[in-house]
Amino acid sequence: MQRRDFTLAALASLSGAGSILNSAHAQSPWSPNKPLKLVVAAAPGSPPDVTARPLAEQLSASLGQPVLVENRPGAGGIVGMEAVLRSAPDGYTIGLASQSQMVFNQHLFEKLPYDATRDVQPVIRLASVAIVLVAHPSVPADSLRDLVTLSRNRPNPLQIAVAPLGQPPHVLGLLAQSEANLRLDWLPFKGGVEAVAACRAGDIPLAVEAPSTVVPHIKAGTLKALAVTGTAREPTLPDVPTISEILGRRIPGETWFGLVLPRGSAPEVVARLQRDAAAAIAKPEMRAVYSRFGWRLIDGSSPEEFAATVREEGPRWGEIIRKAGLKLG
């Protein structure tokens, strides 16, 4: 009897020790042991690309492994998102996901090959940016109100250059157009740089694009800024009012990006990447880089906050897209 009791007690002790070891293993931090990829669904030199590269450098230092930026543009960000979601959920392939990929695309494409709320593991939202409405200097309008008057007094809509349809400059611009009651004819270009170049040349009177693309031309006098989307003035254009200010009501109009993983990624992987990315953007040198490109850092984002943002924004932007009759596939 004593031997049996001892055996049972020993087994119980070993079982308890095993539970402790398993618990410790489950909570142990993840440390990568090979290079990682950061997939950017945009071309080299684009606003997402130039903001991804300094982040990759910071993550390389904190993770102890190279983080290589891989550009996968195409199909409204679908190509890049599929590259992430088809990878193993082991933390070695990270996506830099935009608002288009996470929110807009579900309303733009009938047969989207992924569901952002089901197939994607949000990690952290990193930064947001407003969009600037600019005009060629020859346009007889120096403000959004002037532009509204000009639009009303013309027989035809004003032409406006924009990056590919369905991207943030276009969708945020559609909201501004609706709120201000503007008559616009949207002309898509390969990218924002090309759209702005057409406006600078005087081929198209108006354009909308991120601050990093238009601010140098505004300061050079080859473009003039009429308004900024969103609810807060753009730091690089402090004298340009927001559409919310001009119209006297709060009108959302900022786009954002963040890090994502394939669904099924281990909690310790998600936690490590969230922690390291949050620490990276908190550094003064990173804040300076992002500020230079017009990006406003998002403090305190978590996987839960990111997921909630995607769920909450879906109906709002879906209604804007539906009203515009916009479908891309």
Side-chain angles (χ1 to χ4, degrees):
M1 180 65 72
Q2 289 179 345
R3 180 177 179 82
R4 182 174 179 274
D5 289 344
F6 173 81
T7 302
L8 290 174
L11 288 173
S13 176
L14 289 172
S15 175
S19 297
I20 293 170
L21 288 172
N22 288 337
S23 176
H25 178 72
Q27 296 175 10
S28 62
W30 171 72
S31 295
N33 56 19
K34 62 181 181 179
L36 299 86
K37 287 193 301 186
L38 178 57
V39 178
V40 180
S46 63
D49 178 72
V50 297
T51 50
R53 292 184 183 276
L55 175 64
E57 291 177 6
Q58 293 291 331
L59 291 177
S60 295
S62 66
L63 293 171
Q65 294 291 337
V67 178
L68 309 175
V69 174
E70 182 178 294
N71 298 95
R72 298 292 294 269
I78 294 175
V79 172
M81 186 62 83
E82 284 197 294
V84 175
L85 299 183
R86 288 177 177 172
S87 66
D90 55 11
Y92 289 96
T93 301
I94 312 164
L96 186 79
S98 69
Q99 188 181 34
S100 287
Q101 294 162 290
M102 296 295 286
V103 177
F104 298 164
N105 280 355
Q106 62 183 306
H107 305 289
L108 293 170
F109 295 91
E110 291 289 349
K111 296 181 179 180
L112 190 65
Y114 66 89
D115 184 325
T117 62
R118 183 193 64 211
D119 304 325
V120 182
Q121 171 59 61
V123 176
I124 182 173
R125 285 198 311 143
L126 296 166
S128 65
V129 69
I131 302 299
V132 187
L133 171 62
V134 297
H136 186 268
S138 64
V139 174
D142 294 321
S143 68
L144 179 61
R145 293 196 183 281
D146 291 346
L147 192 66
V148 171
T149 301
L150 179 64
S151 172
R152 288 173 180 169
N153 293 332
R154 286 173 51 90
N156 300 315
L158 286 160
Q159 291 185 323
I160 183 166
V162 70
L165 299 181
Q167 293 299 299
H170 181 218
V171 177
L172 271 61
L174 287 174
L175 175 60
Q177 174 186 1
S178 174
E179 293 287 344
N181 198 24
L182 279 167
R183 296 170 62 241
L184 300 174
D185 180 16
W186 294 88
L187 302 180
F189 283 76
K190 180 181 178 181
V193 172
E194 292 82 359
V196 170
C199 186
R200 286 179 56 222
D203 298 331
I204 298 175
L206 304 171
V208 286
E209 187 49 45
S212 60
T213 305
V214 299
V215 166
H217 307 301
I218 294 168
K219 292 184 175 180
T222 54
L223 290 174
K224 55 184 176 181
L226 304 184
V228 176
T229 64
T231 57
R233 291 201 178 194
E234 166 54 40
T236 57
L237 297 169
D239 297 328
V240 180
T242 66
I243 293 175
S244 296
E245 286 180 74
I246 296 167
L247 300 182
R249 57 185 182 276
R250 188 181 188 283
I251 301 168
E254 293 184 346
T255 187
W256 44 259
F257 69 87
L259 298 182
V260 300
L261 293 167
R263 182 66 70 182
S265 299
E268 57 267 28
V269 173
V270 178
R272 175 72 188 272
L273 290 174
Q274 190 278 338
R275 185 194 73 191
D276 283 21
I281 64 173
K283 294 182 177 181
E285 59 267 34
M286 282 291 287
R287 289 185 176 274
V289 168
Y290 276 45
S291 177
R292 188 164 69 245
F293 293 112
W295 290 98
R296 300 167 189 169
L297 296 172
I298 300 171
D299 294 317
S301 178
S302 65
E304 295 75 20
E305 183 274 340
F306 194 168
T309 297
V310 172
R311 290 194 303 269
E312 291 165 6
E313 288 196 357
R316 177 204 306 161
W317 291 109
E319 182 65 11
I320 296 297
I321 292 168
R322 185 192 65 77
K323 284 183 177 179
L326 183 60
K327 280 291 181 184
L328 300 183

